[in-house]
Each structure stands twice: as structure tokens, then as C-alpha cells.
Amino acid sequence: ALKRKGDSSSLVFADLTADEYRQVRDYMWNQPALDIARDSHAKPSENFIFMIDLQLPRKADALRFLDKGAAKPERNARVVVFHGTLGQIKEYVVGPLPIPTYHTDVTRIKYKADVPLSSRTVTIGEYSLLFNFLGRELFGKLDKILKESFDIGTGKALLPYEAMPRGIRSSTGMRVFDIRFKGERIAYELSVQEAMSVYGSNTPGLILTKFLDASIGIGRFAHELARGVDCPYNAVYVDTVRYIDITEPKTFKNSICIFEHDTGRPLRRHFSDFFSNSYGGLANSVLVFRTITAIGNYDYIWDFIFYQSGSVEAKVHATGYISSSYKIHGSLKYGHQVAENTIGNIHTHFINFKVDLDVLGVKNMFQVKDMTFKEVELPWLPGQTAKVPHLVEKTLRTEKEAAQRNGEKIPRYLHIASNQTNRWGHQRSYRLQVISFTGEHLPEGVPEEKSMSWARYKVAITKHKDEEESSTSLHSQNGMLNPPVDFSTFIDDNENIMEQDLVAWVTTGFLHIPHAEDIPNTVTVGNGGGVILRPHNYFDQDPSVDSPDAAYIHPT
Amino acid sequence: ALKRKGDSSSLVFADLTADEYRQVRDYMWNQPALDIARDSHAKPSENFIFMIDLQLPRKADALRFLDKGAAKPERNARVVVFHGTLGQIKEYVVGPLPIPTYHTDVTRIKYKADVPLSSRTVTIGEYSLLFNFLGRELFGKLDKILKESFDIGTGKALLPYEAMPRGIRSSTGMRVFDIRFKGERIAYELSVQEAMSVYGSNTPGLILTKFLDASIGIGRFAHELARGVDCPYNAVYVDTVRYIDITEPKTFKNSICIFEHDTGRPLRRHFSDFFSNSYGGLANSVLVFRTITAIGNYDYIWDFIFYQSGSVEAKVHATGYISSSYKIHGSLKYGHQVAENTIGNIHTHFINFKVDLDVLGVKNMFQVKDMTFKEVELPWLPGQTAKVPHLVEKTLRTEKEAAQRNGEKIPRYLHIASNQTNRWGHQRSYRLQVISFTGEHLPEGVPEEKSMSWARYKVAITKHKDEEESSTSLHSQNGMLNPPVDFSTFIDDNENIMEQDLVAWVTTGFLHIPHAEDIPNTVTVGNGGGVILRPHNYFDQDPSVDSPDAAYIHPT
Ligand SMILES: [Ca+2]
Ligand SMILES: [Ca+2]
Ligand SMILES: [Ca+2]
Ligand SMILES: [Ca+2]
Ligand SMILES: [Cu+2]
Ligand SMILES: [Cu+2]
């Protein structure tokens, strides 16, 4: 495990240490008014600390500290308490760390309502991965390992991202803060929000239970990664520390891996025999951050991939066991038989990512671009026309206008843009390219749909709010009919999104019709989706031209 | 270069050797009636052999030989002659090899019309890659190389495909015949057909010239691959021999590479701490066949990827230089400025693959599957209903019904199915999963559109015909207004496709709005597309369970 050192800026996003967890826990235990049980086998009628996690600073405070030299924001914890005595779940902000002196009930501020304690038994919940390292340190180690393992010095290829993992931690899933490329912040946050499935079945157990079961999200099970299978043998493996459904922080060894990977396909190349008989090219070496979460039957592989060209990709693949049911009369309307008396039930996989791009600061706009054929008169043949492709660009002004629904025709290029221009006069932007194969989303009239309303949109754009931290909540699985977070309300107020701090919420996934080859395990091939964030007129030219690994050959 | 040996079955698809080229050329030169010039600098008014290539045997003959022990079909060549004296292009079948004794003019049989010799100067034409090796041999060498280079014996992982590259050659682009997995043929042919682009511009040079220029297809320029950049250093590099626009066969060194690649992501894995605390997984090692063609400014990277799970993927990525034009008034309607006075013009990339799956023989059907929500009464709550996902399956009966147009709502699962069933009673099938980001296709009314009418369809299914060998032709770039091949006519006769030999024609690609980062070269990240052919109830379970590389861990 890597240890914390030096650079204090990472502490803004760094997760709680085992010591900090204990400080927060002890502070809460010592509040007589809260009357919290210290026993890990507390009864449902008692009060119990379910989870401790980092409370993110307000974004404005973090940016003032990171960019303007203001004081470091106070470091706080978020504590989720199951109040058996009240029949409620409450969330507290506890601070300041390292020695807490206060706690505030933020439940109503966060969810605009009380959250009922419908069930003490949370069999599957949110997981909280906690990183305890600094980017610089990690990269130093990575570089050394890669240097030792291979014949090449690789640090240079990764150079553009050296300042990147200032903060990286995970609560609902893997997340990265303050992604910088060539020293410039391109994203404040990139994070997994939710993984949801809806199953088809005619067996009572699956129609609703699985339905709820599947809405949990990413789950809390990120276990040790298998060296050489889950990640390359020489990857850097990082431990995480979590405090959830226990009374002592627990370390999960090697639950994150980070590695450089050669995609086996050049990033770019060109051979010319027309004029110069020359060759230029560059191998596509990428940096991968990975966790794998095993939520009951399913395993999701979560990758954040960093390219030399300044692109960043968030990718998810499903594997593990399919959910199945005993074959009864009529079962085949809901899936295929995959084994003796066993139906693999049809289901959806919907995944939501939060993509808080900050393109040259927080004041951005949402642009869409596409192509259309227009009739044009030929300059040299008056009266004669031809259909010619035209570029169509548009800036969308409000949250509702910007909401790109799944299943509808969506402009092919979606951009978060600055109003600053590059050398050629074009607005500097990052493009969102979504790779998705989702099935139908639950119809909107269905009551439970509100708890997963983010899945209506392939891409939705909202004005950033600290209170709209996530498209889902820890408590959604217990209250789908009256969910603490209904994402659609984020855009219902239809705010102006011109020159605002914008957040893109991206949905990907695939329809899964299980078949015999899903036994024993669903394979990852074709069973995934993601989003690529690509610089588009952000630079004046491709930034990988500076890569020292580029090859140029001029044959004689 | 690998040499031919032993197994004669591969000769059905193996390309012509340098000796065979010369035999065919000499035979043609010696026909007084054809009056063919022997000078490589023949005048446009003379007759000239433009290209020699393998003439594929009729599929029925090849199958009788491969599967029924019938005699090996006669080996023939296809010869394209530019008849300056007639103002026509003619195609001849010349045979039998090795010593030809006859030639037949097949132009009208093939194209139902004469092909005018609009221009002797073919600046960019079809290319013809010619393989000279046998599968068994190649794999032997590959395995040895991989064994020497890495610490692992890899042949076993690739075992299921050992009989695969019986024939592999390329005419319009890379192609593979008789793909067998675990000894069973899954595809008769997988081949690149065409690469097409349509540009937007207001400069006379680009509106039509590029338009035609872009319809050429894959081009004839597959040059030497750069070791370590274009393909991994330790790949097997294969030479090809071509006879096009010359008078002697020419060898292109290392113009194809074949390698095993670790995708860096497990093929499957599952960790369970619920019941058994066990782990199982398998690294995703794939076999890649690659060519890279540089057609003037653009480079296309063509990959056929073979997975241990029985999936086969055809993938294309674009890189190289974008086409650009001098910036004039009004240019920005057609693209972005990407350099001093330079507009990168908006354009489409459309790629067509021929996918002749044979699922347990040639008698197949085309099935589509999808999911829909239906209102269902809850068994335990009479009167109460819920929306529940249902599996919807349909077999499409005619070519027109089966044509899946770009831009329209397409069923999510497309299958070529046998009427034989697997152990669980389901029709054994291969699914086509298309990954595509195409822009608008040229409107159908436009005269040139007929020469690229395959691009109307994301997937089209036709009844196999030897005469419908390709969705395009070598002569299309010279006759776009009256193209020798108009793909849409393949389905205009709307034939019955129930229990027929089916061919899927798959279109992929992307809309390209050039931006500053396309300078100096378009990067491959996000700029590609393809199709994955996936077994779906083809087996009784995932065939990779037999892989000796699978890891199983039961921690104590
Ligand atoms: Ca809002
Ligand atoms: Ca933002
Ligand atoms: Ca037909
Ligand atoms: Ca077929
Ligand atoms: Cu699934
Ligand atoms: Cu392009």
C-alpha cells in the first residue's frame, strides 16, 4: 500500500484514512443525544452507524483552494446512521477532521424529505472505496515498475497526465477528481453513479424482487483483483479502506489496479508513397485505472482510460453469472433456456456516469454538431445543383433543450465548450462520444421509474450544484416508489445552461438476452459500453505530436 | 515469407503465386485475337492487362470439395483488361491453372452490361493482396514466435481456430475464407468490400472530385507495416504478391501481420463471497489479422479478431491525413479551420463488410430479437399489473423485410440461425453486433448514390449468389452514374430467405467533422467501427470453458 506524503492539495479529495474513520466513529459514539450502539450486532430497533465516507467540499471552495491559493476547505466526513429508534435513516456531516467537534443532520437538505428506515437489513448496498495515496507517488512507483518490467521508459508517454490523480476515490463507484492534461484541468469529476437492471420473468421471485435488487447500483463489493487475469501481472495494485456495515474500518487489499497497456493498434500512423515515401506513427499506449465490483451474481469491470491524445474514456463491461429462474410454463417469453430446467431471464443493463468537464474553467456551454445534405448550385454549372454535406452547429440554451433521450435521434457530436477559442478561431471543447447498446428503459408512468429516471437520457446536461452530487442515492433501493433522489428533477427546473458550470450525465449499457454461452459466465466481448471524452478544437493540433515515442521513418 | 506446403485444400482459396501470375499473363499475351501490349508503358489506345487475381470457385463446388470429398474445383484466374482498341474494360476468366488453355469474357455475365473505359489513367484502384501460406504452417510459426518471445505457450489458447485460415487472401481488401471454430465452419467468407466517403465543400475541386475519389474503396496500397507501431514487434509479418497496373507480379514485404494480443481485460471472471468465496477467470487473449491500406491521404487499419469464446470481429479504424481545402468565403459551413488558411472538410466514412456466415451448413434463416415492456397481471395480486420485459423474436422471410436501414429503429439482436437446435432446444445462431457512428448517407435520388447503395443499410441480408460476389466493383470509380454493381439490386428481387444460404452485408463508419487535433494525423481513438459475430445458443455453453488458461482459485 502506498502512503500519503507531501502535497497537501490532494487532501481535498483524498479519502478518509483508517485513523480518520475511527475519529469520526468515536465522535459519533460519544454523542449521548444520538444514542448509537457500539455493537456490530446492534438490533434493528437500535441506532447504528451504517457508513462513514468523505464529505466532498463544495466545488467553489475546492477550486478557490486549488486555483486561487485560498485556504484549504475544511475536511469533513459523511456519516449514515440507521436510527432504529426513529425509524429513519439520517445523514450527518461530521467535522472538522482530524478531530471532529460538530455534527449536522443534512438529511432534509440533501433529500428534501425524511428517509424512512424501511429495512434494517441492507443485503447489498453502496460501496465506498477509499484511496490513500497521492498521484505523484503512485506514478513514480508505476513508472519504476514498468521500467523494470519492460525494456522501455514509459513515464514520458504518460507525462501529460502526471498531475492527474490529485484526488481519486470512490463512493458509489470509482471516481476521479481534477483530471488535468498538460497541466490544464479538463474535468473536475468523472465518476460511476449507478448500475441498474430490469428483469423479465413470470416467476414471482424475479418480477419485483430482482427489479429492486437490480436498482442498487454498483454494490459494495470491490474485492482483491486477480493478478494476471483481472489486470496485467505487472499492474500497480492499490488497497482501499471502507467503513460500511461494520464497526472498524476494513482494508481491501489490491482492490484497484493501475497499469499501462498497449492497445495493439497505433494511435496514429501514415504512410505516403505519393510524394515523400515517408512513414510516421505512434503506438497507442494508455493508462488504465480499474476496479471490479462483484454485486451478487454480476461482476462489472470499471475502467477509466487515459490516452496520449488527451482523450479520457469511461468504460464498463459485465461478466459473472446471469440471473436465472426455474423453467415453468410460459418462461420462454422472458428468456432462453440456458441449462437444465433453467431460464436465463431477459434484462437490461443501464449504467450512469457523471462527467463534470470543466473546459478552461467552469463557465461552459453545450454545443451539438451534425451533418446534413443541402442542395447547392455548382459554381461552374449555373442552374445545376448537387447535394452537398453541410456542418450544422447549435448551442443549446436550457437543461430541457439539452436532454438527449435514449431512442430519439441525437446529434452525432455533443460538446462541452468554452467560449475561448483555439488558434484557428474555434471554441475549445471536449466531445462526448457515447458507445451504448441499451434496451428499452422502463416506461415513465411506472412508479419505480423515478428512482432510475437518469436512464431516460443518453446524455443530460445540468447546471452544477453541490446538492446534486449524484444521480442516485444510497437509499434508493429501499424507497423506489418515493426515491430520495429523482434525477429528472435536476432538469425539471429547466435552468439556463449558457456559460454555466455544466455536468453531463451519460447513460450506457446493453440489452441482455441470455443464451447458452452465458454459462458458466457472461463474457466481456460485446457486453459493455462507455463514453469517450475527446478534445475537439481544444488544442491547436494533436497533443500527441509531442510524444517522445513517436516514430518517423524516411526510407531511402 | 512463409512457403506453401502439404494440405491441398487451402489451394481452393489460396491466391495466385508469382509463377501462376506469369503463366496467366503469358497465356493472355499469346492470344493474337486479344492483341495485348507487353509494354508497361502501353498507350491508352492499346490493350493492356490491368490486373490479375484469383477467380474464386463457385461456392457449391468449393463446399463439395471441402465437405464431401468431391474433386478439387478447377483453379482459375480473373484478368481485367483495358481494351483501348474497344474503349471497354473486359474481365476474363482464364484457366485452368497451372497451365491455362482457355479464356472466357465474363464482363456481361458479371455486370449485365459493357463497362466503358472512361479513363485509362486509374490513379487509385482496387488492390489485391495475395497470400502465399497455409494456415497450419503459419500457426506453427506463430506459436513458436510467441513461445520464444513470452514466457507462455499460447498455441493452446488459440487451438479452437487451428483449422481456420484455410484460405485467406484479399482483393477488394482483406478477406478470410472458411473460418472454422472447433472444427466447425462458422463462416464461408468474411471480407472488406468498400470504404467510401462523401465530402462537403464549396471549392470546385472537392465538391465532385473528392466525391468520386472517395468512392474508390479500399485502394491498392497495402505497404510494409512498421514493426512495433503498426503491429506488435513480435507479430508474424507476411508478404503479399500483387499483379496490378504492372507487367510483373510484385511482392510487398510484411504487408500483413498476425499476432496474439492480450486485450488487458478478462474475457470473463467472477468472484463470489456470498456462498463459496471463490474466483474464476480467464484473460482475453485474441488473435489479430491486420492489414493497413494507405489510400492517398487516408490510412485504414483493418483487423479481423478471433476470440477464444468463438466470437469473430471485423474492425476498421481511420488515421492518416484529413482532406482539406484552402479557406475561402463560406468555407466554415463545410468544416472547421484546422491550420493556416486550411479547412478540414466535413465528410462521412462508410465501410462495407461481406459476412457470409454458414451456421451448420448453408441453409440458414435471419432472426431478430428484442425486448419490449408488456403489462402483466401479478400472480399474487389479482387485478394488479406491472410492466414486465418480454422477449420478442421474429424470423424475417424476404430480402426486403430483412433490410435494416441506417437511421431507422433496428432490432437490437440480429442473427443468422440454423434450424438445428442446441441442447436446450434453441436454434443455433451467430449474432451480428454492429458498432457504428455513421453520418447521413447520400440521399437516394442522387444519381451517384447507386454506386454506393450498400450504405443505405446497416445490415442487409441476401440469398447467396456467386454472381453477387461483391457489393461494389473495381470499375465503380469510373462509372458512378451507371455503376457496374448497384448493391440495391441484390435485394430488389426480394427473394425468399428462409432456409437459404444467406450473406449479411454490414455497414459501419463514422461522421468526421475535422478539428484541430486531426493535425498532423487523425487518431484512431473513437474513429472506427465494426461488427462482432457472436455465438448465440450456437453452443450448449461458453466454449472458452475448455481453455487450459482458465484460472480458478478457491481461497481458504
Ligand atoms: Ca437544474
Ligand atoms: Ca463543469
Ligand atoms: Ca436477391
Ligand atoms: Ca451463408
Ligand atoms: Cu446481463
Ligand atoms: Cu475522416
Side-chain angles (χ1 to χ4, degrees):
Chain A
L2 296 158
K3 291 215 183 70
R4 180 172 297 169
K5 193 170 72 181
D7 185 349
S8 68
S9 65
S10 66
L11 291 181
V12 179
F13 304 112
D15 275 289
L16 305 186
T17 62
D19 273 354
E20 287 175 323
Y21 281 123
R22 288 190 200 98
Q23 287 288 352
V24 172
R25 179 200 62 190
D26 291 348
Y27 168 86
M28 292 296 278
W29 278 353
N30 289 330
Q31 303 308 308
L34 293 177
D35 187 25
I36 292 173
R38 302 183 181 211
D39 187 348
S40 62
H41 301 288
K43 290 190 284 281
S45 59
E46 293 181 291
N47 302 327
F48 177 72
I49 295 174
F50 177 67
M51 192 183 87
I52 304 174
D53 199 358
L54 175 76
Q55 170 69 36
L56 281 178
R58 295 185 69 80
K59 182 173 175 181
D61 296 338
L63 291 183
R64 264 194 297 271
F65 165 64
L66 292 170
D67 301 342
K68 311 277 185 206
K72 187 144 70 77
E74 205 170 66
R75 194 161 156 77
N76 292 313
R78 172 170 80 120
V79 182
V80 178
V81 178
F82 287 178
H83 282 284
T85 57
L86 303 171
Q88 285 182 12
I89 297 170
K90 283 187 180 292
E91 291 197 17
Y92 298 91
V93 169
V94 179
L97 290 173
I99 311 294
T101 57
Y102 65 79
H103 63 281
T104 315
D105 177 355
V106 295
T107 318
R108 280 170 176 248
I109 296 165
K110 209 166 159 182
Y111 303 118
K112 282 135 205 141
D114 290 334
V115 178
L117 181 59
S118 311
S119 163
R120 168 64 205 281
T121 314
V122 177
T123 52
I124 308 179
E126 194 182 35
Y127 83 93
S128 163
L129 286 178
L130 306 159
F131 282 58
N132 285 303
F133 64 91
L134 296 185
R136 207 145 299 155
E137 232 175 326
L138 171 70
F139 273 74
K141 184 172 175 190
L142 179 66
D143 195 43
K144 189 158 165 291
I145 286 177
L146 292 170
K147 272 213 186 80
E148 282 166 12
S149 312
F150 303 97
D151 212 353
I152 42 162
T154 53
K156 49 189 162 55
L158 301 172
L159 200 65
Y161 285 105
E162 69 181 334
M164 189 266 300
R166 294 248 172 162
I168 171 168
R169 66 179 270 277
S170 134
S171 172
T172 49
M174 189 161 65
R175 67 182 178 181
V176 188
F177 286 95
D178 200 10
I179 303 175
R180 298 183 188 210
F181 184 76
K182 302 214 161 203
E184 192 85 60
R185 179 180 305 124
I186 54 177
Y188 183 77
E189 179 181 351
L190 174 60
S191 57
V192 177
Q193 293 295 308
E194 181 68 285
M196 174 268 283
S197 291
V198 174
Y199 281 80
S201 176
N202 61 345
T203 54
L206 258 176
I207 296 187
L208 294 189
T209 308
K210 277 300 164 188
F211 195 79
L212 287 160
D213 196 298
S215 83
I216 320 150
I218 314 86
R220 71 214 237 197
F221 304 100
H223 287 283
E224 181 159 7
L225 297 163
R227 208 175 264 266
V229 179
D230 287 337
C231 312
Y233 194 85
N234 289 310
V236 174
Y237 292 83
V238 182
D239 301 343
T240 59
V241 187
R242 295 173 235 163
Y243 188 113
I244 182 166
D245 215 0
I246 40 179
T247 53
E248 270 292 331
K250 190 174 168 188
T251 299
F252 291 81
K253 286 205 76 65
N254 301 344
S255 44
I256 287 172
C257 70
I258 303 169
F259 57 95
E260 195 176 350
H261 177 64
D262 184 340
T263 61
R265 178 181 304 118
L267 178 64
R268 55 182 166 77
R269 66 93 73 190
H270 183 63
F271 175 80
S272 168
D273 66 346
F274 278 121
F275 307 114
S276 56
N277 216 28
S278 68
Y279 174 87
L282 180 62
N284 192 1
S285 214
V286 300
L287 184 70
V288 181
F289 282 56
R290 173 174 299 164
T291 58
I292 305 185
T293 57
I295 318 166
N297 57 317
Y298 256 112
D299 298 42
Y300 283 111
I301 301 174
W302 306 95
D303 290 341
F304 290 164
I305 306 171
F306 300 89
Y307 294 87
Q308 294 167 79
S309 55
S311 289
V312 177
E313 186 171 11
K315 224 171 186 175
V316 58
H317 285 84
T319 177
Y321 291 112
I322 52 168
S323 269
S324 57
S325 57
Y326 195 81
K327 188 183 175 187
I328 60 173
H329 180 72
S331 286
L332 292 174
K333 280 188 284 189
Y334 303 96
H336 292 311
Q337 184 170 348
V338 295
E340 214 61 69
N341 298 318
T342 305
I343 296 292
N345 292 84
I346 191 170
H347 57 277
T348 56
H349 288 269
F350 281 91
I351 312 288
N352 194 238
F353 290 104
K354 180 181 182 182
V355 182
D356 183 356
L357 286 161
D358 283 358
V359 180
L360 303 169
V362 297
K363 295 224 175 307
N364 294 153
M365 50 195 82
F366 182 57
Q367 288 184 325
V368 298
K369 302 182 188 183
D370 207 333
M371 182 268 263
T372 189
F373 281 96
K374 285 187 192 167
E375 197 95 22
V376 163
E377 188 162 307
L378 296 177
W380 64 95
L381 285 174
Q384 287 258 47
T385 61
K387 301 255 192 204
V388 178
H390 277 63
L391 171 62
V392 183
E393 300 180 90
K394 208 175 166 187
T395 301
L396 303 180
R397 307 186 68 88
T398 67
E399 289 174 326
K400 282 190 179 171
E401 210 187 330
Q404 308 292 326
R405 281 180 178 261
N406 271 311
E408 287 180 5
K409 200 181 167 198
I410 292 175
R412 290 182 176 88
Y413 278 52
L414 308 175
H415 303 255
I416 301 292
S418 164
N419 61 9
Q420 294 184 44
T421 52
N422 73 352
R423 183 172 166 193
W424 317 113
H426 294 291
Q427 281 181 256
R428 297 176 63 179
S429 79
Y430 257 76
R431 176 185 168 205
L432 299 136
Q433 182 178 7
V434 183
I435 297 111
S436 177
F437 305 90
T438 53
E440 295 293 310
H441 174 53
L442 201 58
E444 274 181 44
V446 175
E448 297 90 337
E449 194 273 341
K450 285 200 291 179
S451 67
M452 51 189 79
S453 58
W454 49 266
R456 297 175 194 171
Y457 313 100
K458 192 167 190 176
V459 173
I461 305 292
T462 63
K463 181 177 162 179
H464 176 274
K465 287 178 183 164
D466 288 310
E467 310 83 77
E468 292 175 350
E469 187 189 327
S470 175
S471 60
T472 186
S473 95
L474 179 61
H475 319 299
S476 288
Q477 75 275 14
N478 290 322
M480 292 183 77
L481 299 179
N482 192 15
V485 172
D486 171 358
F487 174 78
S488 68
T489 64
F490 292 13
I491 60 177
D492 271 350
D493 58 356
N494 199 24
E495 280 163 293
N496 182 293
I497 54 169
M498 293 294 288
E499 309 216 30
Q500 300 292 337
D501 186 355
L502 303 185
V503 178
W505 308 82
V506 177
T507 299
T508 179
F510 63 98
L511 171 65
H512 197 167
I513 303 176
H515 44 100
E517 293 83 358
D518 282 308
I519 305 296
N521 288 156
T522 296
V523 296
T524 52
V525 181
N527 291 327
V531 57
I532 313 178
L533 313 175
R534 307 172 58 175
H536 184 103
N537 292 324
Y538 182 88
F539 298 106
D540 298 331
Q541 63 170 2
D542 175 23
S544 79
V545 291
D546 299 334
S547 171
D549 291 338
Y552 298 97
I553 302 165
H554 293 268
T556 46
Chain B
L2 296 158
K3 292 217 182 69
R4 180 172 295 167
K5 194 170 70 180
D7 186 347
S8 67
S9 65
S10 66
L11 291 182
V12 179
F13 304 113
D15 275 286
L16 305 187
T17 63
D19 273 354
E20 287 175 323
Y21 281 123
R22 287 193 200 98
Q23 287 286 352
V24 172
R25 180 200 60 188
D26 293 347
Y27 168 84
M28 292 296 277
W29 277 354
N30 288 329
Q31 303 307 308
L34 294 176
D35 186 25
I36 294 174
R38 301 183 182 208
D39 186 349
S40 63
H41 301 289
K43 290 190 284 282
S45 59
E46 295 181 289
N47 302 326
F48 177 72
I49 296 174
F50 178 66
M51 191 182 88
I52 304 174
D53 199 359
L54 176 76
Q55 170 68 37
L56 282 177
R58 296 186 67 81
K59 182 172 175 181
D61 296 337
L63 292 183
R64 263 193 298 270
F65 166 64
L66 292 169
D67 300 343
K68 310 277 184 205
K72 186 147 70 78
E74 204 169 67
R75 194 159 157 78
N76 292 313
R78 173 170 76 122
V79 181
V80 178
V81 178
F82 287 179
H83 283 284
T85 57
L86 304 171
Q88 286 183 10
I89 298 172
K90 284 188 180 292
E91 291 196 19
Y92 297 90
V93 170
V94 178
L97 290 173
I99 311 294
T101 56
Y102 65 79
H103 63 281
T104 315
D105 178 355
V106 296
T107 317
R108 280 170 176 248
I109 297 164
K110 210 165 159 182
Y111 302 119
K112 281 137 205 139
D114 290 332
V115 177
L117 180 59
S118 311
S119 162
R120 167 67 206 278
T121 315
V122 177
T123 51
I124 309 177
E126 194 181 38
Y127 83 93
S128 162
L129 286 176
L130 306 160
F131 281 58
N132 286 303
F133 64 90
L134 295 185
R136 207 145 298 156
E137 235 175 323
L138 171 71
F139 273 75
K141 184 172 174 191
L142 178 68
D143 196 44
K144 190 159 165 290
I145 286 178
L146 293 168
K147 271 211 184 85
E148 281 166 12
S149 312
F150 303 99
D151 214 349
I152 42 164
T154 54
K156 49 188 163 53
L158 301 172
L159 200 65
Y161 285 105
E162 68 181 335
M164 189 266 300
R166 293 250 173 158
I168 173 167
R169 67 179 268 278
S170 132
S171 174
T172 50
M174 189 161 65
R175 66 182 178 182
V176 188
F177 286 95
D178 201 11
I179 303 177
R180 297 181 187 211
F181 184 76
K182 301 213 161 203
E184 192 86 60
R185 178 180 306 125
I186 54 177
Y188 182 77
E189 177 181 352
L190 174 60
S191 58
V192 177
Q193 292 295 308
E194 182 66 286
M196 175 268 284
S197 291
V198 174
Y199 282 81
S201 175
N202 61 345
T203 54
L206 258 176
I207 296 188
L208 295 189
T209 308
K210 276 300 167 190
F211 193 81
L212 286 160
D213 198 297
S215 82
I216 322 152
I218 314 88
R220 71 212 238 195
F221 303 101
H223 286 283
E224 181 157 7
L225 298 163
R227 208 176 263 268
V229 179
D230 287 337
C231 312
Y233 194 85
N234 289 309
V236 174
Y237 292 82
V238 182
D239 302 343
T240 59
V241 186
R242 294 174 237 164
Y243 189 111
I244 182 166
D245 214 0
I246 38 178
T247 52
E248 267 294 327
K250 190 175 169 189
T251 300
F252 291 81
K253 285 207 75 66
N254 300 344
S255 45
I256 287 172
C257 70
I258 303 169
F259 58 95
E260 195 175 351
H261 177 64
D262 184 340
T263 62
R265 179 181 304 118
L267 178 65
R268 55 183 167 76
R269 68 90 76 188
H270 182 64
F271 175 81
S272 168
D273 67 345
F274 277 121
F275 307 114
S276 57
N277 216 29
S278 68
Y279 173 86
L282 179 61
N284 192 2
S285 213
V286 299
L287 184 70
V288 181
F289 282 56
R290 173 173 300 163
T291 59
I292 305 185
T293 58
I295 318 168
N297 57 317
Y298 256 111
D299 299 42
Y300 283 111
I301 302 173
W302 305 96
D303 290 340
F304 290 164
I305 306 171
F306 300 89
Y307 295 88
Q308 294 167 80
S309 56
S311 289
V312 177
E313 186 171 11
K315 225 172 186 174
V316 57
H317 285 83
T319 178
Y321 291 112
I322 52 168
S323 270
S324 56
S325 56
Y326 195 81
K327 188 184 176 186
I328 60 173
H329 179 72
S331 287
L332 292 173
K333 280 188 284 189
Y334 303 96
H336 293 310
Q337 185 171 347
V338 296
E340 213 62 66
N341 298 318
T342 305
I343 296 292
N345 292 84
I346 191 169
H347 57 276
T348 57
H349 288 270
F350 280 92
I351 313 287
N352 194 236
F353 290 103
K354 180 180 181 183
V355 182
D356 183 358
L357 287 161
D358 283 358
V359 180
L360 303 169
V362 296
K363 295 223 174 306
N364 294 154
M365 51 194 82
F366 181 58
Q367 289 184 325
V368 298
K369 302 182 187 183
D370 206 333
M371 181 266 262
T372 188
F373 281 96
K374 285 187 192 169
E375 197 94 25
V376 164
E377 188 160 307
L378 296 177
W380 64 96
L381 285 174
Q384 287 258 45
T385 61
K387 300 255 191 205
V388 178
H390 278 64
L391 171 61
V392 183
E393 299 179 272
K394 208 174 165 188
T395 300
L396 303 182
R397 309 186 68 86
T398 67
E399 288 175 326
K400 283 192 180 171
E401 209 187 332
Q404 307 292 325
R405 280 179 178 263
N406 271 312
E408 287 180 5
K409 201 181 166 197
I410 292 175
R412 290 183 176 88
Y413 278 51
L414 309 175
H415 303 255
I416 302 291
S418 164
N419 62 9
Q420 293 185 45
T421 53
N422 73 353
R423 183 172 168 191
W424 317 114
H426 294 291
Q427 282 181 257
R428 296 176 64 180
S429 79
Y430 257 75
R431 177 185 168 204
L432 298 136
Q433 182 177 8
V434 183
I435 297 109
S436 177
F437 305 91
T438 52
E440 296 294 311
H441 173 52
L442 199 60
E444 275 181 44
V446 175
E448 297 89 339
E449 194 272 341
K450 284 200 291 178
S451 67
M452 49 189 82
S453 58
W454 49 266
R456 296 176 193 170
Y457 314 100
K458 194 168 190 174
V459 173
I461 304 293
T462 63
K463 181 176 162 180
H464 175 275
K465 288 178 184 164
D466 288 307
E467 310 82 77
E468 292 175 352
E469 187 188 328
S470 175
S471 61
T472 185
S473 94
L474 177 61
H475 319 298
S476 289
Q477 75 274 14
N478 291 322
M480 292 182 78
L481 298 178
N482 191 15
V485 172
D486 170 359
F487 174 79
S488 69
T489 64
F490 291 14
I491 60 178
D492 271 350
D493 59 355
N494 199 27
E495 282 164 292
N496 181 292
I497 54 169
M498 293 294 289
E499 309 216 31
Q500 300 293 336
D501 186 355
L502 304 185
V503 178
W505 307 83
V506 177
T507 299
T508 179
F510 63 97
L511 172 65
H512 196 168
I513 302 175
H515 44 100
E517 294 83 359
D518 281 308
I519 305 295
N521 289 156
T522 297
V523 297
T524 52
V525 181
N527 291 326
V531 55
I532 314 178
L533 313 175
R534 309 172 55 175
H536 183 102
N537 292 325
Y538 182 87
F539 298 105
D540 298 331
Q541 64 171 0
D542 175 22
S544 78
V545 292
D546 300 334
S547 171
D549 291 338
Y552 298 97
I553 303 165
H554 293 268
T556 47

